[in-house]
Amino acid sequence: MSGKTTRRDFMKAITAGSIAPYVSKDEVAPVTDQARESQGEAAHPAPSGTPFFPVAVWYCGGKVRAPMLEPVNASSAGRWGKDLDKIKAVGFNTVKCWVDWATAEPKPGQFDFKNLNLLMRLAQARGLRVIVQVYSDSAPDWVGERHPSARFVDRSGAVINSQAAPGFCIDDGAVRDEFVKFHQALSQDANRFPALFGWDVWSEPHLVNWAEFPYLKSPEFCYCPHTQARFRRWLEAKYKTLDAVNKAWYRGFTSWDAVTPPRFPTILSYTDYLDWRAFITDKLAADLKTRVEAVRSADHTHPITSHASGPGIFTDPRDGYGEPDDWKMAESADFFGTSLYPKHAEIVHPISYHHLSAGLDFERSAGHSSGKGFWIGELQAGQGVTGMRIADPVTSQDEAFWMWQVIAHGAREIAVYAWYPMDSGYESNGYGLINLDGTLTDRSKEAGKVARTIARHAAELESAEPASAQVAILYNRLSYMVGGSEPSLSKLGDAERDSLLGLHRAFFDRQIPVDFVSAKDIRDGRVKAYKILFLPYAVMLAEDVAEGVKRYVAQGGVAVAEARPGWNNARGFASDVIPGLGLREVFGAREKMIRPSKNPQLRVTPSAGLPGLEAGQMFSGYAFEEDLVPEPGAHVLARFSGGAAGMTLNHYGRGKAIWIGSFPALACERNRDASAARAMLALAAAAGVRPEVRVSDKGTKKIEVRRLVSAKEQLIFTFNHADQPARTAISIRLPWKVREAKDWVTNQPVGLSTNGPNTILKKSLDGGEIWIVRLTAA
């Protein structure tokens, strides 16, 4: 579907029939397909015009784990049918199945989709919709036999022989042709079934998937001849001439064929590395588009999606396996989304509610930038297991909390992974919603209960969007690249990630929504809608992004930059002055010197006039003190303990630019520093940011309120993240008077009061309780 097609267009176009009522039993009696037809039940989920919200569970027939498939035999229809009966009775309205290339095309041009066909027929008979996950990383061996040069190659020169994974590089034109034909044939076959709801054409995109190489040191892909040739074409499109490449890279290539990707850092320019990483990012987005277009060739209706291995805020674009840019991926598909495993066995501690919210806001923002929503491709269903690394158990309360969190953040689909626990591999017996013997768990019953509530309110969710943000935070992939590929040069570690998390935390704790924005959002002027734009850890910027910041401020916006903005340009070259890239005139100051500091402190000046910050009050930075020299007309808002200017304000055009000579966002995250958070909130308040929700609670101080809004309704999601009860009062500034307030789950009336323009909701929340209220306009 074209990039102009929005999520709402799809949701209106794709509908389904009614869902059978819940059967409250641990075991569900099977109903044969013949009995269904004799009872007059539709043999397929015919579109009825009713809004439909897909709440899926991963299941593909039998107990075999994805991406493998169970061989179809005479007992398959009966066994699978019983499973699907149970899935529907629990409360799910969709299943997410999968097709792997190796099984589906065992010989060139001979396609075998019998697993998918049987599952489609069985799902249709039960009124279930189907999302198809395509696994092309699991490639047939004949591809490698025919095209040995398509094997992945590490930067060391090591050639990877596929062992069912990771497959082969589609930069080989012949492999790409086979790859496209497979997707086209699959799309044509699946579109015969009315049960089809949509596609997920790439699970957890990387250059190389599902394979680790412990015998390689810091592996990086792909250096096969085909990817190198594609890189040269990318360079030619960017630089036009070989002379321009030589000038940029400080090299002396005599032919395009001599140009190769960098394999190691040097003390000289690292522009070659920056180009290589930018190419990998573009390649991932383009490879997703190849998949989308191949499926779209036979499917002009259903949404085509993909999902990352985790929210991009937690990943590093320097990863040698290739990490996608969620913004670019969202542009390449109808929806992009993420896997979400808050208690995965690979993480040391369960993901905190602060970080879960930041990750979901990140995914939402990436989709929002393209005018789309986001999908949850995989949501953890059961205990994380990797060999004998076994995580904390997943409870029914966990499952409900995660499902409601993704809904409250604006997700447009949920796919719980998986119905059965993994039956093989190093994740054996992990991640299942039910037990491997087929008995239900409390988690499955609770997930089904939530799924039924979501399905019942599909129309309200279709028209609702997350509450709009007044605060924007720049996600700048270039900031990861300072120093090139040499990680030891970064004194601050994952500073970009933690800066984003720190700013999000500061506003999250005050119930103030934020959006993350990309460099492209700034270049294209989409940030003009925000009252304030934060530029955390902006030590490397592209020139056109700096120009975008300049335009934003000139047009009336407020920009806040931390230390050394624009120090390096997009080629990795230092600016003559800091701020660089023409930002000196915007911020009205320049750097005098910078020095490490264990505990940088800034004292607010008497003339600062910042709401909530009194003269003389201190707030923390992090790691460095950067002495600023204000130019005529600029104002000093705070000084370091030695007296040097540490925060300045300058009027530029119709807006303002504020420069902080340290990294307070890092202090917010790493030190949980309340003074740094207060300073960020004060800057936002001075820019006109006003909270629309205020919370007072006696007990926990761990209340989160999220809102989904439409013209005449608001859904208020309240989460008590503490184990202790809390007496909570929620004050909401609404654009209209309330006619009705109801509990969204029980449909019972909810009492409320007013205080001027504010609507007050009060409730004593138990520890871990989730309360959802629908407010309807008079």
Side-chain angles (χ1 to χ4, degrees):
M1 198 66 69
S2 69
K4 295 294 184 183
T5 305
T6 66
R7 181 267 314 164
R8 191 167 295 172
D9 295 327
F10 279 121
M11 293 300 105
K12 288 181 177 179
I14 303 166
T15 57
S18 61
I19 303 300
Y22 174 60
V23 180
S24 180
K25 296 180 180 179
D26 277 358
E27 299 300 330
V28 182
V31 180
T32 67
D33 296 338
Q34 293 84 355
R36 293 174 188 280
E37 294 175 4
S38 68
Q39 294 166 8
E41 183 172 337
H44 58 79
S48 65
T50 303
F52 182 81
F53 191 107
V55 186
V57 66
W58 282 66
Y59 176 80
C60 203
K63 300 179 181 181
V64 67
R65 67 152 301 155
M68 297 186 290
L69 292 170
E70 176 185 286
V72 175
N73 57 37
S75 69
S76 296
R79 290 184 293 104
W80 298 8
K82 290 178 182 179
D83 284 340
L84 291 172
D85 286 335
K86 196 177 294 186
I87 286 169
K88 183 173 180 178
V90 162
F92 292 96
N93 60 15
T94 305
V95 291
K96 187 169 186 177
C97 70
W98 54 89
V99 176
D100 76 296
W101 187 9
T103 302
E105 193 179 1
K107 294 182 180 180
Q110 295 183 17
F111 299 106
D112 180 358
F113 301 127
K114 60 176 173 286
N115 290 69
L116 176 64
N117 293 173
L118 176 57
L119 189 89
M120 284 284 198
R121 290 196 298 271
L122 295 170
Q124 280 177 209
R126 290 157 175 81
L128 292 167
R129 302 304 296 268
V130 178
I131 298 170
V132 179
Q133 175 71 63
V134 185
Y135 283 119
S136 50
D137 307 88
S138 175
D141 289 335
W142 60 260
V143 175
E145 293 167 2
R146 282 189 166 193
H147 311 287
S149 65
R151 292 175 295 174
F152 292 106
V153 179
D154 169 53
R155 63 178 169 180
S156 68
V159 177
I160 306 301
N161 292 306
S162 185
Q163 300 172 182
F168 306 95
C169 184
I170 64 170
D171 289 339
D172 182 322
V175 172
R176 181 177 290 258
D177 289 344
E178 300 287 3
F179 180 88
V180 167
K181 289 176 188 175
F182 160 67
H183 284 80
Q184 291 173 333
L186 174 59
S187 179
Q188 187 172 11
D189 184 87
N191 267 277
R192 299 182 295 120
F193 297 95
L196 179 64
F197 181 85
W199 299 86
D200 189 326
V201 293
W202 201 356
S203 171
E204 304 183 346
H206 297 91
L207 298 183
V208 169
N209 258 355
W210 309 333
E212 299 290 337
F213 311 101
Y215 58 91
L216 297 176
K217 182 180 179 180
S218 302
E220 187 170 321
F221 299 95
C222 175
Y223 289 78
C224 76
H226 308 288
T227 300
Q228 293 199 49
R230 186 174 174 183
F231 180 48
R232 286 191 286 270
R233 294 193 296 272
W234 184 91
L235 290 170
E236 193 167 2
K238 176 179 178 177
Y239 289 104
K240 311 303 181 189
T241 68
L242 189 60
D243 285 345
V245 173
N246 283 329
K247 182 178 180 181
W249 287 19
Y250 198 69
R251 302 292 289 276
F253 299 116
T254 57
S255 72
W256 280 105
D257 288 342
V259 179
T260 61
R263 297 173 188 261
F264 53 85
T266 73
I267 200 172
L268 306 179
S269 163
Y270 57 92
T271 305
D272 53 355
Y273 177 76
L274 295 173
D275 280 336
W276 175 238
R277 298 319 308 174
F279 161 74
I280 293 299
T281 299
D282 286 350
K283 169 179 154 53
L284 287 166
D287 288 351
L288 173 55
K289 190 173 182 180
T290 294
R291 291 163 164 83
V292 171
E293 290 177 346
V295 171
R296 187 61 75 207
S297 67
D299 186 334
H300 307 293
T301 305
H302 303 101
I304 304 176
T305 74
S306 172
H307 69 277
S309 59
I313 194 171
F314 301 118
T315 64
D316 189 326
R318 297 169 298 181
D319 188 276
Y321 287 75
E323 284 290 351
D325 180 335
D326 292 356
W327 271 257
K328 290 192 173 185
M329 301 299 271
E331 291 178 348
S332 294
D334 296 323
F335 298 96
F336 191 66
T338 187
S339 291
L340 201 63
Y341 289 89
K343 285 187 171 181
H344 198 283
E346 297 289 335
I347 59 178
V348 177
H349 302 290
I351 295 177
S352 70
Y353 64 88
H354 279 103
H355 288 175
L356 178 65
S357 179
L360 290 170
D361 273 335
F362 191 89
E363 292 305 312
R364 175 188 56 76
S365 298
H368 174 72
S369 178
S370 300
K372 307 170 184 179
F374 71 102
W375 283 26
I376 299 297
E378 303 176 34
L379 178 64
Q380 184 172 354
Q383 188 170 26
V385 175
T386 305
M388 283 304 294
R389 185 187 294 127
I390 301 173
D392 289 341
V394 173
T395 67
S396 57
Q397 185 176 355
D398 289 333
E399 202 65 39
F401 168 66
W402 297 336
M403 293 178 76
W404 284 128
Q405 274 282 305
V406 300
I407 293 295
H409 283 77
R412 300 303 177 180
E413 174 268 5
I414 301 174
V416 176
Y417 189 92
W419 182 244
Y420 280 109
M422 305 299 98
D423 72 326
S424 64
Y426 54 71
E427 293 178 333
S428 288
N429 215 44
Y431 304 102
L433 192 61
I434 67 171
N435 296 314
L436 199 53
D437 65 3
T439 54
L440 299 183
T441 63
D442 289 341
R443 292 190 314 279
S444 64
K445 297 170 190 175
E446 187 64 26
K449 179 180 175 182
V450 175
R452 288 193 304 279
T453 303
I454 293 169
R456 189 168 66 246
H457 294 290
E460 296 157 64
L461 291 171
E462 180 181 292
S463 62
E465 301 284 350
S468 59
Q470 304 171 64
V471 177
I473 303 170
L474 173 63
Y475 167 62
N476 179 37
R477 288 169 73 89
L478 275 178
S479 289
Y480 292 86
M481 307 292 179
V482 173
S485 63
E486 184 52 65
S488 64
L489 297 181
S490 176
K491 179 181 186 292
L492 296 179
D494 294 318
E496 171 71 6
R497 178 200 68 190
D498 288 351
S499 297
L500 298 174
L501 292 172
L503 279 171
H504 184 276
R505 179 185 294 273
F507 290 98
F508 173 96
D509 286 340
R510 293 299 180 91
Q511 317 296 339
I512 298 175
V514 302
D515 284 347
F516 295 101
V517 295
S518 69
K520 188 173 187 294
D521 290 327
I522 291 181
R523 286 196 300 267
D524 294 349
R526 285 196 286 268
V527 293
K528 64 183 179 183
Y530 300 98
K531 291 183 177 178
I532 191 166
L533 168 64
F534 284 91
L535 309 172
Y537 197 66
V539 292
M540 180 181 284
L541 285 173
E543 287 84 345
D544 53 3
V545 174
E547 284 298 318
V549 172
K550 186 184 293 188
R551 287 194 304 273
Y552 167 76
V553 176
Q555 293 169 2
V558 177
V560 178
E562 292 188 311
R564 313 214 94 185
W567 165 33
N568 291 276
N569 65 16
R571 294 178 54 222
F573 281 68
S575 299
D576 292 341
V577 296
I578 298 174
L581 311 176
L583 291 175
R584 175 181 174 182
E585 62 176 305
V586 179
F587 287 93
R590 64 176 294 168
E591 177 188 284
K592 180 181 180 181
M593 68 172 64
I594 188 169
R595 57 186 171 274
S597 173
K598 290 183 178 180
N599 184 27
Q601 295 290 309
L602 295 98
R603 184 183 302 276
V604 178
T605 62
S607 62
L610 294 174
L613 286 183
E614 298 178 358
Q617 193 167 353
M618 307 291 289
F619 70 91
S620 298
Y622 191 89
F624 291 98
E625 293 183 0
E626 181 186 32
D627 292 353
L628 312 181
V629 180
E631 297 183 347
H635 305 280
V636 177
L637 301 182
R639 296 183 181 277
F640 291 113
S641 55
M647 180 166 66
T648 59
L649 177 148
N650 187 53
H651 292 268
Y652 180 80
R654 301 198 305 272
K656 301 175 184 177
I658 298 165
W659 182 9
I660 307 170
S662 193
F663 297 107
L666 282 173
C668 290
E669 176 61 18
R670 295 182 178 177
N671 297 339
R672 307 293 193 264
D673 193 285
S675 70
R678 280 196 301 271
M680 301 302 99
L681 290 163
L683 295 174
V689 174
R690 299 289 181 267
E692 295 183 347
V693 174
R694 296 182 185 274
V695 174
S696 63
D697 71 90
K698 296 180 179 179
T700 75
K701 306 299 182 185
K702 292 184 178 181
I703 300 296
E704 174 189 1
V705 178
R706 309 286 306 192
R707 292 181 299 144
L708 296 179
V709 305
S710 59
K712 295 294 183 181
E713 284 188 346
Q714 289 203 14
L715 300 175
I716 315 300
F717 296 78
T718 305
F719 301 87
N720 181 6
H721 294 299
D723 295 330
Q724 300 80 31
R727 292 166 54 195
T728 305
I730 304 165
S731 174
I732 308 167
R733 185 156 43 93
L734 296 169
W736 29 255
K737 292 183 178 180
V738 176
R739 174 178 60 83
E740 181 181 73
K742 283 192 172 182
D743 187 299
W744 206 51
V745 176
T746 67
N747 205 36
Q748 294 300 307
V750 172
L752 52 80
S753 60
T754 59
N755 181 11
N758 299 319
T759 297
I760 313 296
L761 297 170
K762 293 183 178 181
K763 183 174 173 63
S764 293
L765 296 172
D766 291 334
E769 185 175 352
I770 302 164
W771 185 38
I772 309 172
V773 176
R774 180 185 61 217
L775 302 178
T776 305

